[in-house]
């Protein structure tokens, strides 16, 4: 298996995880935290998508899908390229109000399609390129891509768990 196939397989698992986490939930259920101050399904899926959008857009030197598309109003938000959910407190979490599963899946699909095209063109040598020198050791493209998919998979699992709590 080459690196493109490996990355495509790993990132390719996310769309079904996202769909299964939100499918059939109402807008209210997507916004319902499992406990006071906890992250609801809608916020978790929005956040994992924002992280992938933010980081991959940066790697490509392109504008984020969040900013270039009409997604933000469908979540009750402004198209702020720096708002990824990182560091959100309870009030900011509650402000993320997806209009329904279609908005979450649609935004994720747009981001995942761009990521898939990016991954298809990578070479093994590309993965060693330093993309962030503010860390010690500096972050390579390969490490950044693993960090994004790791974060996304964890949040998708959390969303599935919260979904189960809501539907009980």
């Amino acid at each position: 298996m080459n690196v493109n196939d490996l990355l495509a397989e790993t990132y390719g698992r996310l769309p079904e995880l996202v769909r299964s986490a939100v499918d059939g939930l109402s807008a209210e259920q997507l916004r319902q935290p499992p406990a006071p101050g906890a992250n609801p399904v809608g916020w978790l899926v929005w956040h994992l998508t924002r992280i992938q959008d933010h980081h991959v857009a940066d790697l490509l030197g392109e504008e984020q899908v969040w900013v270039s598309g009409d997604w933000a109003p469908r979540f009750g938000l402004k198209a702020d390229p720096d708002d990824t959910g990182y560091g959100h407190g309870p009030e900011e979490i509650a402000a993320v109000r997806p209009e329904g599963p279609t908005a979450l899946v649609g935004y994720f699909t747009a981001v995942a399609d761009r990521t898939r095209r990016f991954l298809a063109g990578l070479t093994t040598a590309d993965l060693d390129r330093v993309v962030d020198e503010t860390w010690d050791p500096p972050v390579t493209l390969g490490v950044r891509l693993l960090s994004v998919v790791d974060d996304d998979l964890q949040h998708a699992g959390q969303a599935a768990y919260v979904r189960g709590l809501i539907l009980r």
Side-chain angles (χ1 to χ4, degrees):
M1 180 178 276
N2 69 37
V3 69
N4 300 80
D5 293 339
L6 183 63
L7 288 169
E9 172 65 27
T10 306
Y11 275 84
R13 293 174 182 217
L14 286 165
E16 180 54 31
L17 295 173
V18 165
R19 274 191 289 283
S20 65
V22 302
D23 187 42
L25 295 181
S26 68
E28 293 75 29
Q29 288 171 316
L30 290 169
R31 300 173 193 151
Q32 179 183 337
N39 299 328
V41 171
W43 184 91
L44 288 161
V45 172
W46 170 82
H47 171 65
L48 74 84
T49 308
R50 287 294 299 123
I51 292 297
Q52 187 175 145
D53 189 10
H54 179 274
H55 287 16
V56 173
D58 183 57
L59 294 171
L60 288 165
E62 294 180 0
E63 192 170 49
Q64 297 171 28
V65 172
W66 182 252
V67 175
S68 65
D70 64 346
W71 297 107
R74 296 182 69 186
F75 291 81
L77 299 169
K78 295 187 184 325
D80 179 352
D82 296 321
D83 185 9
T84 63
Y86 183 77
H88 270 190
E91 288 180 16
E92 294 157 309
I93 291 167
V96 177
R97 301 184 57 78
E99 62 188 25
T102 304
L104 288 158
V105 171
Y107 175 45
F108 179 81
T109 299
V111 170
D113 288 348
R114 183 191 55 200
T115 300
R116 188 173 24 264
R117 289 189 302 273
F118 174 59
L119 295 175
L122 290 178
T123 66
T124 303
D126 291 333
L127 299 177
D128 292 329
R129 178 172 57 93
V130 172
V131 297
D132 189 347
E133 293 186 3
T134 63
W135 295 90
D136 185 19
V139 177
T140 63
L141 175 61
V143 168
R144 177 61 47 86
L145 289 171
L146 289 176
S147 174
V148 169
V149 78
D150 175 61
D151 185 75
D152 280 4
L153 289 167
Q154 288 186 57
H155 284 89
Q158 292 168 0
Y161 180 76
V162 173
R163 173 193 174 88
L165 294 175
I166 289 169
L167 294 177
R168 283 193 68 184

